[in-house]
């Protein structure tokens, strides 16, 4: 039955039958070869075997019915077109067998060149090339080498060693000095290596070579490195690869032949011009393999002006056609130019913006399209501070750039020391062999983290990325000695307290202080670099695209800010209000003492006393923020964390009390504190007495905060400003909780506000799953919802972030259970579903309900798209993420209005 259906299925497409939009079926390489063919560019003829054939093969372990026959038919037509036959001893057709998936996976899959050569046709090939024996034997040895390596898993070094032996025997280190005889000898040596490793002779039958090579390309889809790469790049695992069979053209026919790569613009900076490399008398893989030094593409003008001009013409045509930077492979065979590949080229973050801007100027794309072609991850990259490397700073080591940024600080080797020094205001770099969960506090305290072991998914890397902290991992030149508090590198010793600089983007480690500067893009956002005046192409492009994002987006972007200065910076970065102002930091520092009094209060009077002392301090905090955000909404979250977090840790207190007792000091107060800490100790503080629960248990606490907010607003308004406070109740799970808080709050507000014209909204966080599931009820009592997706993720998955990120996320990422940490990007199916339900049911109950999100997902590109789709009104994120969110919110609107680029 299934066989019946597949008999007629079309598995093979001639290049003339495809086009660039068929990437799913023909892969990127095949679709673009077809496109170039149809544009009339000189592409050697060939055909593409579809990804569907690959998928059918991978599912069953067998080529699907009908495939062999279709290959036969296309091969015959290729032979007719070329006037040569595969395996013809006198005048052989040779082909390349090239993998090509929908998304380019550089170096991940396989290609075999010169298929069709054997002991007899090698002679014919030589005759075809005017008696060029060297060329023919060189091509043959390449076939055995590539076929052996990629089709039969013969270790590549063995072939390379044999080449080295041949060169040594000849007394040269240039492969061009090997003559026909040497290469003939090399073919014999290669055949022996092949036989030794495979237990069979090198296949002489061309069609067998072809079929085995096709199969090997199919199989390469599931090779481990391809699987790992896909996981990293988040490419779906079930796409399969297409296989391209292309008539060979030869760049190794002599000095008038060669091969090269070209970019239509500089993929690093985006600058216009001719970029690329050329290598004379070589086949394509030599350029990448770095066997000989290539020359800059410009020199081709001197070597072969005709081909050069022709190439430039095709480059211009391709750019005009694809309306984007193109990346091209070509080969020149005796003065005749052949185009072997093109694709929309990869580029750096800076080039992405610059090129998008240029293409708009050139009228090739519109601003929507430009917006679509850049992304928030790229913008974030451009916002990291960078080292000013203008004079001689040489790195002493290079590890893995595990979490970007530039960090400078004094070296410390333990978490405790990191906390200590950071507490004194010193910037520190925590250096460890590898980190573990015990290092968490030190990691939080440090400016950067440097480890000598571990890769991109190590504990240090995963946690640092989660915290947005600079990290270089796996710098294995470092000899780290924790007990001795030092490390050695490149013959130098670095002791605790010495200064190092680490670059989490490049993985480079420097001794001493490398000056750090804000990137140009940040200077622009800060308002210190005028986009209209600068000749910095990047800043101009970023400005232009940001302006467009702002006019297209529907989502508003607010910021999470707890202080006036944070609020001010966020506003410069384009924040349209505060979505989360946490009040807990207002209980720290010299205010701790008041909090202790509050907690220890034995009577109502003592408690009220403490609260009364806190009230004016809080009011000042809010005044500062309302002033900075004049005219914009400010969501203030009532106190959220459990109160014992404001007390010293149990062990420390116990020790202090014991020591003081020993000395015979008066410890009444410490003892009372210790008793309180013991009493308030919780097994699972995340799920304990916090948020609204605290407000309902401690009389007067929320009331004090509400009063401070209302009074601050009235003060600002009286001074001629505009304050728009929104009071947010955390951790609500049931509407009754909110109703109770709200009844009290409304009374206070009415009393404070009077006829000042101040309006105060009251809403809630949706961060407990039960709240999401009863959102319809909760909306009756809430004027807005703000999704606290950090807690919603914790409680939705049932894990505590602080514990799990360090403990097992690396393993989950490795196993592919997560493609990305659900704290980094919202889990659409699970946690996202809770958001969707709450948004829908909340709005059904109260159509004017304002919906937003606070929590780190608000600045994550993928999550922003999700919140756009779900119909939220705004996202709120940290100040530095505000531009990223603006950009992505713009992109989300453009995407859903149907513009599609590639
Ligand atoms: P990759 O995807 O790794 O670039 P390709 O399939 O593009 O692999 O091929 C590897 C190299 O061989 C490239 O440089 C390409 O230009 C060259 N090549 C592929 N097919 C042919 C052909 N038919 N004639 C000449 N060179 C070819
Ligand atoms: Mg290629
Ligand atoms: Mg929360």
């Amino acid at each position: 039955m299934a066989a019946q259906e597949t008999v007629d299925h079309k598995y093979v497409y001639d290049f003339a039958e495809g086009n660039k939009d068929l990437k799913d079926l023909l892969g990127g390489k095949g679709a673009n070869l077809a496109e170039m063919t149809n544009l009339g560019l000189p592409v050697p003829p060939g055909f593409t075997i579809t990804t569907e054939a690959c998928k059918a093969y991978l599912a069953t372990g067998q080529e699907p019915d009908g495939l062999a026959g279709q290959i036969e038919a296309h091969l015959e037509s290729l032979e007719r077109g070329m006037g040569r036959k595969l395996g013809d001893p006198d005048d052989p057709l040779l082909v390349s067998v090239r993998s090509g998936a929908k998304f380019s996976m550089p170096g991940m899959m396989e290609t075999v060149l010169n298929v069709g050569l054997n002991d007899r046709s090698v002679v014919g090939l030589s005759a075809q090339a005017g008696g060029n024996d060297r060329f023919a034997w060189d091509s043959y040895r390449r076939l055995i080498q590539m076929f052996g390596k990629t089709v039969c898993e013969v270790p590549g070094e063995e072939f390379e060693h044999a080449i080295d032996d041949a060169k040594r025997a000849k007394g040269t280190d240039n492969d061009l000095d090997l003559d026909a005889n040497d290469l003939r000898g090399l073919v014999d040596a290669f055949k022996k290596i092949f036989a030794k490793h495979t237990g069979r002779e090198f296949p002489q039958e061309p069609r067998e070579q072809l079929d085995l090579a096709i199969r090997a390309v199919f199989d390469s889809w599931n090779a481990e490195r391809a699987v790992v790469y896909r996981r990293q790049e988040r490419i779906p695992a079930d796409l399969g690869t297409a296989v391209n069979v292309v008539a060979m053209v030869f760049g190794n026919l002599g000095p008038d032949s060669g091969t090269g790569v070209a970019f239509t613009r500089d993929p690093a900076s985006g600058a216009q011009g001719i970029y690329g490399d050329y290598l004379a008398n070589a086949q394509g893989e030599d350029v990448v393999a770095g066997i000989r030094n290539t020359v800059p593409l410009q020199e081709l003008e001197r070597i072969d002006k005709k081909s050069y001009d022709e190439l430039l013409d095709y480059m211009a045509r391709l750019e005009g056609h694809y309306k984007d930077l193109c990346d091209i492979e070509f080969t020149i065979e005796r003065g005749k130019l052949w185009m072997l590949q093109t694709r929309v080229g990869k580029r750096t973050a800076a080039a992405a913006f610059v090129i998008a801007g240029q293409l708009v100027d050139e009228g090739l794309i519109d601003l929507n399209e430009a917006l679509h072609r850049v992304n928030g991850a790229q913008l974030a990259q451009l916002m990291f501070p960078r080292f000013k490397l203008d004079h001689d700073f040489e790195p002493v080591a290079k590890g893995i750039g595990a979490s970007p940024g530039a960090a400078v600080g004094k070296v410390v080797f333990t978490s405790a020391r990191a906390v200590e020094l950071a507490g004194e205001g010193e910037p520190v770099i925590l250096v460890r062999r590898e980190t573990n969960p015990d290092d968490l506090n030190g990691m939080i305290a440090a400016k950067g983290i440097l480890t000598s072991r571990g890769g991109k998914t190590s504990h240090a890397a995963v946690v640092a990325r989660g915290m947005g902290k600079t990290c270089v991992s796996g710098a294995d030149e470092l000899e780290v000695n924790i007990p001795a508090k030092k490390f050695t590198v490149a013959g130098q010793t670095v002791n605790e307290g010495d200064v190092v600089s680490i670059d989490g983007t490049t993985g480079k480690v420097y001794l001493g202080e490398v000056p750090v500067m804000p990137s140009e893009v940040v200077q622009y956002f800060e308002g210190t670099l005028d986009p209209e005046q600068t000749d910095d192409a990047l800043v101009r492009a970023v400005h232009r695209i940001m302006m467009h994002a702002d006019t297209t987006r529907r989502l508003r972007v607010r910021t999470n800010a707890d202080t006036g200065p944070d609020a001010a910076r966020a506003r410069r970065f384009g924040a349209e209000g505060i979505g989360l102002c946490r009040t807990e930091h207002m209980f720290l520092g010299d205010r701790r003492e008041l909090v202790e009094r509050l907690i220890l209060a034995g009577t109502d009077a003592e408690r009220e006393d403490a609260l009364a002392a806190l009230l004016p301090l809080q009011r000042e905090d809010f005044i500062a923020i309302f002033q900075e955000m004049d005219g914009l909404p400010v969501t203030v979250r009532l106190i959220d964390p459990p109160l014992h977090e404001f007390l010293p840790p149990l062990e420390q207190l116990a020790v202090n009390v014991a020591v003081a007792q020993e000395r015979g000091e008066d410890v009444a107060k410490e003892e009372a504190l210790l008793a309180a800490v013991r009493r308030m100790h919780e097994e699972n503080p995340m799920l304990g007495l916090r948020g609204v629960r605290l407000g309902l248990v401690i009389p007067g606490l929320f009331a004090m905060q509400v009063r401070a907010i209302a009074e601050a607003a009235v003060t600002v308004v009286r001074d001629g400003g505009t304050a728009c406070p929104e009071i947010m109740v955390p951790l609500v799970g049931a509407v009754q909780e909110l109703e109770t808080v709200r009844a009290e709050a409304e009374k206070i507000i009415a009393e404070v506000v009077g006829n000042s014209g101040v309006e105060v909204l009251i809403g809630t966080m949706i961060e407990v799953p039960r709240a999401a599931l009863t959102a319809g009820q909760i909306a009756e009592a809430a004027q807005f919802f703000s999704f606290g997706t950090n807690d919603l993720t914790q409680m939705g998955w049932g894990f505590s972030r602080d514990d799990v990120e360090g403990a097992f996320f690396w393993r989950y990422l490795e196993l592919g259970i997560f493609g990305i940490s659900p704290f980094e990007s919202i889990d659409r199916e699970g946690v996202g579903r809770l958001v969707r339900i709450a948004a829908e049911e909340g709005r059904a109950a109260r159509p004017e309900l304002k919906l937003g999100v606070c929590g780190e997902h608000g600045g994550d590109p993928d999550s922003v798209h999700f919140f756009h789709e779900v119909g939220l009104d705004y996202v709120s994120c940290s100040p530095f993420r505000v531009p990223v969110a603006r950009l992505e919110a713009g992109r989300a609107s453009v995407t859903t209005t149907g513009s599609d680029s590639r």
Side-chain angles (χ1 to χ4, degrees), residues 29 96 98 111 113 246-249 284-285 329 331 340-341:
K29 200 178 286 170
S96 61
R98 315 169 66 186
T111 291
L113 301 183
V246 190
M248 282 302 299
V249 292
E285 77 273 15
E329 290 176 6
T331 280
L340 289 174
Q341 187 173 334

Side-chain angles (χ1 to χ4, degrees), residues 807-829:
F808 65 82
F809 268 30
W810 60 273
R811 181 64 180 147
Y812 271 43
L813 289 163
E814 199 173 81
L815 288 171
I817 295 172
F818 303 145
I820 184 169
S821 158
F823 287 112
E824 212 173 316
S825 195
I826 193 156
D827 150 36
R828 288 177 174 242
E829 291 99 49

Side-chain angles (χ1 to χ4, degrees), residues 195-216:
K196 184 178 97 197
H197 279 277
T198 61
R200 58 164 294 183
E201 295 302 318
F202 177 75
Q204 292 290 316
E205 176 53 52
R207 182 61 204 263
E208 189 190 0
Q209 292 173 1
L210 180 63
D211 289 338
L212 287 173
I214 292 170
R215 205 173 239 238

